[in-house]
Amino acid sequence: MARWIGLGLALALMTLCGVIGWRTMNFGAAKLAPLALSGAQPPAVDAGLVAQHLGEAIRFATIANPDPALQDNSAFEGLQAWMAATYPALHAAAPPQRVNGLALLLRWPGSDPSLAPLLLAAHQDVVPVEAASEAQWRAPAFGGTLFEGAVVGRGAIDDKGSLVAILEAAEGLAKTGFKPKRTVLFAFGADEEVGGRGATAIAALLAARGEKPWFVLDEGMVIVQSHPVTRQPVALIGIAEKGYATLRITARGMPGHSSVPPKDLAVSRLARALIRLERLPLRSGVSDGPAGAMLRALSGQIGVPTRILLANEWLFGPLIEAQLSRDPRAIALMRTTMAPTMLTGSSKDNVLPGAAQALVNFRLHPRDRSDAVLAKARALLRGLQGVELEWAAPPREASPVSAIDSLSYRLLAALAALAGDSAPPAPTLVLAGTDGRAYAEVAQDVYRFAPLRLNDDEIASVHGNDESVRIEELERAVQFYARLMMEASA
Ligand SMILES: [Zn+2]
């Protein structure tokens, strides 16, 4: 009997090892090869001149105001006049159209109207620089100074770097007589940092015209120099972006004087609700969604032990999650996150508030819809007396997830690998918001990628101090966008 049990166990163990081994061998095997490029060479780039132009663009302090009624248009008008003067060949070939005030749409008509257009997006606006941090910059934030081989200034990366690189690439092509076969649209929002109404209006205009882009390329991810999993350069291409929703929790209690407090207070109820909310059952994991697609794309660079774990999430799921959960960025890739950010109670230390409120900011993973999250939160907090939940503003859902087996992704992947000196391309989820999401309504696919090799310090400079881009990266970007327009017409 014991012998039979032993044999059965051995057989089960062998089967298990076989399954684990087979899954590991096949992990990432389904990925498609990047597209073969035509090899057309882009026009030569004068990197020094591109850097000078980016410096000039930075000097227009195009700070978007969250309230359009209070927007000062002068810097934007200055930038747009500068664009027209600096890129005359493109402006002649693709006359700009103002949309929703300051957003711009340029249309460079292709010779073959049966081809769906390529849409290149970038935004003209930048975030402000806090007065207190201005002195910490190595050069003035709106000076556009060339410093140690880099252009320094607010917007150098986000997103005037992309804006200028796209314009330089198109101008270079237009000047050499290039005529696109496939129409190229240029969509330059002017309020990406404060909501992206311009991109929404451009998308609505395209929809009204019945113009459906083949795909959209916007900012969002870059060629990172040290990927957290492979420790190697990776060209990360955003295929989706997270949604944004803020939950308002209101807890009510008896208002009054704090010298004679009743048993159950609004603030105590709110605290209990916040603690209980930490147990909100939101799925996490890498097998579905962009994080899994990224790991599969990088499977060749991942060590065998890690690959065994990742290929067998059905078995090692909890182990993987425990490993990855040490890094908040990995958690954010795997699941919807939530973070209490604001609290209010009474305005005086000896007054009991009749109501206490908390705001909890959610970043929605593509697998979670806001109504389902709210329903789960309500179910979890049911039974807590005097506690109400609602979205503080209409939630923004996560974007659709764009394809990675499409021709357009494979073209981008091939060009990204070329731009990244053979850094492997990999899809991923963008944790912040971009104008790109507005185009999901009209375009088949939306990708978020700027062909800049950036190290961690440079990535941290976005919206921070000393934002700067190295001149060689600008040159790389101009060549990438020119190649993209040429390949899209090949
Ligand atoms: Zn941006």
Side-chain angles (χ1 to χ4, degrees):
M1 182 69 179
R3 181 141 42 109
W4 288 111
I5 293 174
L7 199 63
L9 277 175
L11 263 174
L13 200 63
M14 270 165 62
T15 311
L16 185 66
C17 289
V19 169
I20 291 172
W22 186 81
R23 290 186 66 99
T24 306
M25 266 163 50
N26 286 289
F27 185 63
K31 73 183 174 202
L32 287 163
L35 209 65
L37 300 173
S38 77
Q41 282 304 307
V45 179
D46 179 346
L49 187 64
V50 177
Q52 183 197 316
H53 285 160
L54 176 57
E56 288 166 9
I58 287 171
R59 275 167 232 150
F60 300 98
T62 46
I63 297 164
N65 196 306
D67 181 352
L70 300 175
Q71 181 64 53
D72 175 7
N73 290 357
S74 56
F76 288 90
E77 271 155 7
L79 175 69
Q80 291 178 12
W82 172 86
M83 280 163 54
T86 311
Y87 306 106
L90 171 67
H91 280 68
Q97 178 185 1
R98 284 262 192 107
V99 183
N100 188 53
L102 294 165
L104 285 180
L105 176 64
L106 284 73
R107 187 174 188 282
W108 194 1
S111 58
D112 183 350
S114 72
L115 295 175
L118 163 69
L119 191 152
L120 299 178
H123 59 88
Q124 308 165 57
D125 58 309
V126 295
V127 291
V129 175
E130 295 204 19
S133 69
E134 242 181 305
Q136 292 156 15
W137 286 61
R138 57 184 160 150
F142 289 100
T145 317
L146 270 61
F147 193 93
E148 290 174 357
V151 183
V152 183
R154 173 61 79 227
I157 298 173
D158 182 14
D159 186 31
K160 284 179 176 161
S162 298
L163 177 72
V164 166
I166 290 170
L167 290 167
E168 295 283 341
E171 180 73 7
L173 287 171
K175 270 205 311 215
T176 53
F178 172 81
K179 297 224 173 5
K181 200 156 95 186
R182 183 189 293 279
T183 296
V184 186
L185 299 167
F186 303 89
F188 301 141
D191 58 357
E192 191 273 345
E193 302 290 2
V194 293
R197 283 177 294 267
T200 306
I202 292 174
L205 179 66
L206 294 176
R209 283 186 193 163
E211 196 150 45
K212 284 176 76 74
W214 175 34
F215 74 93
V216 171
L217 180 64
D218 195 7
E219 60 166 348
M221 300 307 293
V222 296
I223 306 165
V224 295
Q225 289 307 282
S226 176
H227 188 275
V229 175
T230 66
R231 304 280 161 212
Q232 298 288 322
V234 175
L236 287 172
I237 300 173
I239 56 169
E241 64 186 73
K242 287 184 107 174
Y244 187 106
T246 298
L247 187 68
R248 184 190 290 123
I249 308 178
T250 307
R252 295 184 200 284
M254 281 293 285
H257 199 283
S258 61
S259 58
V260 280
K263 231 180 164 162
D264 213 4
L265 303 170
V267 170
S268 320
R269 286 175 168 172
L270 181 65
R272 277 196 288 276
L274 282 170
I275 296 290
R276 194 183 284 191
L277 199 65
E278 287 175 357
R279 300 204 311 263
L280 192 63
L282 294 171
R283 225 173 80 63
S284 180
V286 294
S287 56
D288 63 335
M294 175 182 73
L295 293 169
R296 281 188 289 277
L298 296 176
S299 57
Q301 280 77 35
I302 296 174
V304 174
T306 311
R307 214 184 314 162
I308 292 174
L309 296 184
L310 291 171
N312 294 283
E313 205 198 348
W314 60 280
L315 183 62
F316 301 119
L319 198 65
I320 298 168
E321 206 161 337
Q323 280 276 337
L324 290 173
S325 295
R326 289 188 214 148
D327 183 347
R329 288 172 305 177
I331 296 174
L333 278 179
M334 291 191 295
R335 58 175 297 162
T336 292
T337 57
M338 59 172 177
T341 50
M342 297 172 82
L343 289 169
T344 50
S346 94
S347 55
K348 212 162 177 305
D349 64 348
N350 63 356
V351 172
L352 298 171
Q357 279 191 343
L359 293 185
V360 183
N361 185 232
F362 283 74
R363 299 301 175 102
L364 302 163
H365 189 276
R367 74 168 81 85
D368 292 318
R369 306 290 301 175
S370 63
D371 49 1
V373 171
L374 182 59
K376 281 180 185 172
R378 284 196 167 128
L380 181 68
L381 301 194
R382 194 171 295 142
L384 284 184
Q385 249 199 335
V387 174
E388 291 156 27
L389 305 181
E390 63 189 338
W391 292 124
R396 193 178 83 211
E397 305 295 342
S399 76
V401 180
S402 293
I404 53 172
D405 57 0
S406 58
L407 267 181
S408 51
Y409 180 83
R410 291 168 63 208
L411 170 61
L412 270 184
L415 289 169
L418 188 63
D421 299 331
S422 300
T428 192
L429 176 63
V430 178
L431 303 179
T434 73
D435 270 349
R437 68 174 175 277
Y439 301 109
E441 299 285 324
V442 286
Q444 204 166 74
D445 291 299
V446 178
Y447 301 109
R448 298 154 179 90
F449 172 72
L452 305 169
R453 293 183 314 176
L454 299 183
N455 59 38
D456 288 352
D457 286 346
E458 289 165 328
I459 291 170
S461 78
V462 173
H463 290 210
N465 289 348
D466 257 346
E467 185 174 347
S468 60
V469 65
R470 279 169 290 120
I471 294 172
E472 62 174 309
E473 298 312 309
L474 282 175
E475 183 178 359
R476 183 186 309 279
V478 176
Q479 284 178 339
F480 169 92
Y481 290 117
R483 279 205 175 95
L484 174 55
M485 284 181 263
M486 295 171 92
E487 295 290 338
S489 276

